[in-house]
Amino acid sequence: MQKNWYAVYTRPSCEKKIAGLFTKWKIENFCPLNCVRTNVSWRNKMQSEPLFKSYIFVYIGETEISRLYKADGVVSILYWLGQPAVIKEEEIETIKEFSNNYRSLRVERTNVNINDSVKIMNSPSYKMEGKFISIKNKTVKVNLPSLGFAIIAELEKENITGLQDSLSENLSLISNT
């Protein structure tokens, strides 16, 4: 049986609960979290919030999808053209790398298709490549076409090297700011 990554749409604020339940049921899942500063009772507090509101990702076979609906709080699976939408492994890895290495992340809906690539290097042990959209003001935006989102992270300008000639112009703009 071939397994794929699928996006599960949940009720609001149920992502962590459902991810825990899927883990208990031995269903491989991923709920990317982002640290967010909030004001609670006149003090700042860091909290972990889901990066994708109302979405978690599961790695299962297509025949097991019906099992997911038994969890209270699951609304549906993300569909594309009448079939469960398969999320590419590379995109899940990109999300994991971003959520593990950066604190200030955000996502936005997108339908931009640019075929330029970017390589992000923090250290010799961490390198990542993805579909490049833009580099601006020390932020990198990487397209996740299977989901229709772009993930945005703030980076240090030394950690970005271009793979194509058109990218070098953007990097020189960063150096001048």
Side-chain angles (χ1 to χ4, degrees):
M1 168 177 50
Q2 181 182 357
K3 290 185 172 187
N4 294 307
W5 284 99
Y6 299 98
V8 176
Y9 185 68
T10 68
R11 287 194 318 232
S13 303
C14 289
E15 303 92 347
K16 291 182 194 178
K17 175 185 147 193
I18 293 171
L21 186 59
F22 286 165
T23 300
K24 185 178 174 183
W25 291 354
K26 298 187 183 351
I27 296 174
E28 186 177 349
N29 66 81
F30 174 54
C31 180
L33 300 175
N34 190 23
C35 289
V36 178
R37 185 179 309 271
T38 59
N39 287 331
V40 179
S41 301
W42 298 91
R43 61 187 166 110
N44 289 332
K45 183 178 179 183
M46 294 299 286
Q47 289 184 311
S48 294
E49 291 183 356
L51 184 59
F52 295 90
K53 304 291 184 205
S54 297
Y55 285 100
I56 64 168
F57 305 99
V58 294
Y59 188 67
I60 58 172
E62 193 170 350
T63 57
E64 296 176 281
I65 289 177
S66 61
R67 184 176 172 207
L68 301 176
Y69 288 103
K70 294 178 183 175
D72 185 35
V74 170
V75 175
S76 68
I77 302 294
L78 190 64
Y79 280 85
W80 177 254
L81 299 176
Q83 297 291 323
V86 175
I87 311 302
K88 294 178 184 175
E89 180 77 31
E90 298 84 33
E91 292 179 21
I92 296 295
E93 290 302 318
T94 299
I95 296 167
K96 285 181 180 180
E97 291 294 334
F98 267 63
S99 63
N100 287 336
N101 292 298
Y102 303 103
R103 286 185 152 205
S104 48
L105 296 174
R106 64 184 191 277
V107 294
E108 65 181 33
R109 289 216 175 264
T110 184
N111 46 354
V112 176
N113 267 336
I114 295 177
N115 293 324
D116 294 337
S117 293
V118 66
K119 182 184 276 184
I120 302 165
M121 300 182 298
N122 274 351
S123 68
S125 63
Y126 171 64
K127 295 179 182 174
M128 179 180 55
E129 296 184 30
K131 293 297 181 185
F132 167 73
I133 295 177
S134 68
I135 297 177
K136 188 175 186 181
N137 298 331
K138 297 182 188 177
T139 62
V140 167
K141 184 189 266 188
V142 177
N143 194 17
L144 304 169
S146 298
L147 291 169
F149 283 100
I151 190 167
I152 303 163
E154 292 186 24
L155 303 172
E156 294 299 321
K157 61 186 173 190
E158 306 84 48
N159 295 332
I160 306 167
T161 60
L163 297 176
Q164 297 182 357
D165 294 335
S166 63
L167 182 59
S168 63
E169 291 177 28
N170 290 327
L171 290 175
S172 65
L173 291 174
I174 290 174
S175 300
N176 295 332
T177 58

